Amino acid sequence: MTRVAIIGGHGKIALRLAKILADRGDQVTSIIRNPEHAQDVAEAGAVPVVADVETLDTTGIATAISEHDAVVWSAGAGGGDPARTYAVDRDAAIRSMDAAAKVGINRYVMVSYFGARPDHGVPEDNSFHAYAEAKAAADTYLKSGDLDWTILGPSRLTDEPGTGRIAVGGTRGGGDEVSRDNVAAVAAAVLARPETVHKVIEFNDGPTPVADAVAQV
């Protein structure tokens, strides 16, 4: 049994991931901001913990995630407000990394996006710019630390039923997409595979079973 804390536990990917992990026998805690979401989290098989990572300091986040073996960051401000995007997707994410280190959790999986990097190329007048900047900063900080990290880079997300098959790497095209089901499956797969530590896995829906694709990264 692995004890996994999912930050952003009411997100669409997080709920799917919690169910996969719980079904395979892992112990899952989902960190949520809104107490009204606790029932949804519980129905997915996770234990809900109400904690607003946007406002918590490093010690507060550390308290919420302590006694776990791994952390999955699946939170996000949802776009729209650049200040809140930086506060959640960059600043709170970085505090969560420091919090994991503080309480001795080495394994950390970041849900990012396909193309996240400092030279992302998103113009400043584009509404996606703040998110691209925030994710680049968070991912860069994660890579610079001592955690056993894996960064997931899914392309455009859909709610189509998961195929359990992906295509890893390559160049992202304008029409590329991946189902949230498949993203959750990839997150679950990397948590079970120590050889994915210090790997960035960018992917779309594709022809290769998730387990095989992850094993080949």
Side-chain angles (χ1 to χ4, degrees), residues 1 45 47 49 75 92 103 143-144 202 206 208 210:
M1 178 189 294
V47 175
V49 169
V103 294
K143 292 175 185 177
S144 72
E202 296 183 320
T208 307
V210 165

Side-chain angles (χ1 to χ4, degrees), residues 16-27:
R16 289 163 166 84
L17 174 60
K19 186 175 189 315
I20 294 170
L21 296 178
D23 286 350
R24 77 182 187 193
D26 291 337
Q27 179 181 315

Side-chain angles (χ1 to χ4, degrees), residues 58-150:
T58 299
T59 299
I61 297 175
T63 299
I65 64 175
S66 64
E67 305 300 325
H68 289 82
D69 304 307
V71 172
V72 177
W73 177 273
S74 191
D81 179 355
R84 185 157 185 265
T85 295
Y86 286 120
V88 176
D89 293 282
R90 182 190 63 193
D91 301 339
I94 287 172
R95 289 198 302 275
S96 78
M97 299 166 202
D98 291 341
K102 184 181 180 74
V103 294
I105 302 172
N106 292 321
R107 192 71 173 104
Y108 190 106
V109 175
M110 166 63 75
V111 179
S112 188
Y113 73 94
F114 199 135
R117 53 185 56 90
D119 59 344
H120 52 73
V122 179
E124 287 189 32
D125 60 355
N126 188 300
S127 61
F128 191 72
H129 179 79
Y131 182 76
E133 286 284 289
K135 294 303 281 187
D139 291 358
T140 298
Y141 188 86
L142 182 57
K143 292 175 185 177
S144 72
D146 295 326
L147 297 176
D148 291 338
W149 56 266
T150 303

Side-chain angles (χ1 to χ4, degrees), residues 125-184:
D125 60 355
N126 188 300
S127 61
F128 191 72
H129 179 79
Y131 182 76
E133 286 284 289
K135 294 303 281 187
D139 291 358
T140 298
Y141 188 86
L142 182 57
K143 292 175 185 177
S144 72
D146 295 326
L147 297 176
D148 291 338
W149 56 266
T150 303
I151 296 173
L152 306 184
S155 59
R156 188 178 71 84
L157 300 171
T158 76
D159 287 324
E160 294 299 314
T163 60
R165 295 172 178 270
I166 59 171
V168 174
T171 301
R172 180 176 177 179
D176 288 343
E177 59 187 28
V178 60
S179 72
R180 289 180 172 86
D181 284 346
N182 282 350
V183 178

